[in-house]
Amino acid sequence: MLEKQTSTEKYEVAIVGGGASGSALLYTLFAYTNISKIILLEKYNEVGQVNSHAKNNSQTLHVGDIETNYSIEKVRQVKPAAMMVKYYTDTLPEPERKKIITKVQKMILAVGEKEVSDLESRYDSLRDIFPELEKINSDEIAKREPAIMQGRSAGESVLALCNEDGYAVNFGALAQSFLDKAQSDTERVSVRLGTKVIQVAKDPQGGYILTTDKGVVQAEVVIFDTDAYSLGFAKSLGYGQEYSLIPIAGTFYFTRQILNGKVYTMQEPKLPFAAVHGDPDVNVPDKTRWGPTARFLPVLESYKFSTMKDYFSSAGLGKLRTWGSFLRILLEPVRFFYLLKNILYEIPFVGKYFFVKTIQKIAPQVRAKDLHIAKGFGGMRLQRVDIHKNELQLGEGKIMGENIIFNMTPSPGASVCLYNAMRDAEEIMKFFGGKYFFEKEKMSRDLAHQEKPLECMDVSLKQSYSS
Ligand SMILES: Cc1cc2nc3c(=O)[nH]c(=O)nc-3n(C[C@H](O)[C@H](O)[C@H](O)COP(=O)(O)OP(=O)(O)OC[C@H]3O[C@@H](n4cnc5c(N)ncnc54)[C@H](O)[C@@H]3O)c2cc1C
C-alpha cells in the first residue's frame, strides 16, 4: 500500500532497497527488536523487482553442498545462514509457503578424471555437514538424471553428489512475504514504494537526510540494501573509495524439460561464478533453464541501459588505478578467454551454437536447435574490485560507516538474506548504544533451531564473512 509523503519525516532506522536483503532486515527489526519507527524506501512499486526477482537469478538456496567454489569453512558458515530462509518459510501457511519455496533434487556433477578426483575428496569433507548428501556413480546418475548419461561416451569418468533435500526459492516472493508481515504493524513500520532515494547526506543535527523523488526523510541510522547501488551511495559520503565494480551480466537459455532437478558443474577457482548449470524454473513449468552466461556490461540493472550512468558514477573509472586493476584482473588468461567466449554466446542466432558445448557437459544430447534465449531473464552480478590490492572480491561486501551500513550482495546474497539481516540488526543495536534491544537468541531459536550449533551461529559480525 502506498502512503502519501509530505514534509520531512523522522525515523530511527531507514532501509533503502526492498529486495530480499532490505525486506529481510525490515522483517527482522519488526519481529525481533523494539525499534519504534522504521521506514523502507523502494524505488519500484513492488519489492523484489531487481536481482531478487525470480527471472533474474537461479532461484537456488545456496547451502554449500554443490558450490565447489566455497571453502569447507565457508560451507560451515553458509549452511546455517541459508537454512534460515527454509525455516522462515516453515512458519508460513502452506499456500504462501508454496509460492516461495519448492523442494528440489540438487546435484553437483564432475566430468573427467581431475574433476572426479577433486569431488571425491571434497565429499569426504562435506559428509559430516550434509549427512543426506549421496555420492553416486554413473548408474545411479542415470536413474536420477537420465539426460546426464544419455549419449555420453562410455570411457568418460563421471561422479556426482546428490542432495534430495535441495530448495528452489522465489526470492521476490520471499521479499513480499517479509514485507507483508512487517506491514501488519503500521504504527512502527512505514513503507514507501515507488520512492527513489536520490541523495544521502549527514544531518548536522545527527543521523542522515535522505532526499527522495517524493520528499525528504530523516533517519538516525540508515542501511543501504541496494546491492550494487550501495557503493555509489557509500562513495558519496566518502566511504569505500578503494572499491570499483566489474559488471557481469548473467543471461539464460531455455530448453524443454531435460533435467529433473538442479544440476551444477564444478567451478573454476579463478571464475567462481562461471560454471554452467541447469535448473527447473519455479515459474516456468516443463522447461529447463540453462546458464548463466557472463558478459561485461556496464550497467547496474539488467535490460536497463539508463543505469549505465549509475555504473559509471559508482565504479570510479576516472581513476587510472581502477583501469590498472581491471586490466590485471581481466587479462588473466583464464578470465580473458572466458569473457571472450561469452561474447560469442551473445551473438544473435549463432550464439547458441557456441553455448551448447557448455551445456553438453551436463546433457550430451542437447543440440543448439533445442535452445532458445530466455528473453527478459537474467540479472547483474557486480563483482567488487579492491583497486589498491588489485583484487577481485567475490561474495557479499559490507561497508560500515558512522550509523550507516552499505550492503553489496552478489550471489548468494539472497540465500543468506536473513543471516545478513541478523548481523545488521546486531550492528544497529550498537549504533543506538543500548537504547533498544534485539532478541537475537529468539531469532536464532526460531530460524536456525534445527541446525547444529555451528560456528556461524555466533553472529558477532565477522565483517569479512563472504559467501
Ligand atoms: C544470474 C544470477 C544468478 C543468481 N543466482 C542466485 C541463486 O541461485 N541464489 C542466490 O541466493 N542468489 C543468486 N543470485 C544473487 C541474488 O540475486 C542477489 O544476491 C540478491 O537478489 C540480492 O538481493 P538484494 O535485496 O540485496 O538486491 P536486489 O534484489 O537487487 O534489491 C535491491 C533493491 O534496491 C532498490 N533500489 C536501488 N536503488 C534504489 C534507490 N536509489 N532508491 C530506492 N530503492 C533503490 C532496487 O529497486 C531493488 O529493489 C544470482 C544473481 C544473478 C545475477
Side-chain angles (χ1 to χ4, degrees), residues 16-23 41-44 46-53 56-62 171 195-198 225-227 229 233 248 250-252 262 264 277 292 301 378-381 407 409-416:
V16 186
S21 308
S23 310
L41 300 154
E42 164 53 51
K43 68 178 175 174
Y44 290 118
E46 285 175 60
V47 292
Q49 296 302 296
V50 186
N51 279 326
S52 302
H53 194 283
N56 296 348
N57 59 67
S58 301
Q59 309 167 345
T60 303
L61 187 67
H62 286 299
F171 292 107
T195 303
K196 182 174 179 177
V197 173
I198 294 159
D225 271 317
T226 47
D227 199 353
Y229 288 97
F233 285 111
I248 305 288
T251 49
F252 296 93
K262 288 176 175 282
Y264 276 59
H277 47 91
E301 268 175 66
M380 288 304 300
R381 296 181 288 176
N407 285 313
T409 40
S411 188
S415 295
V416 297

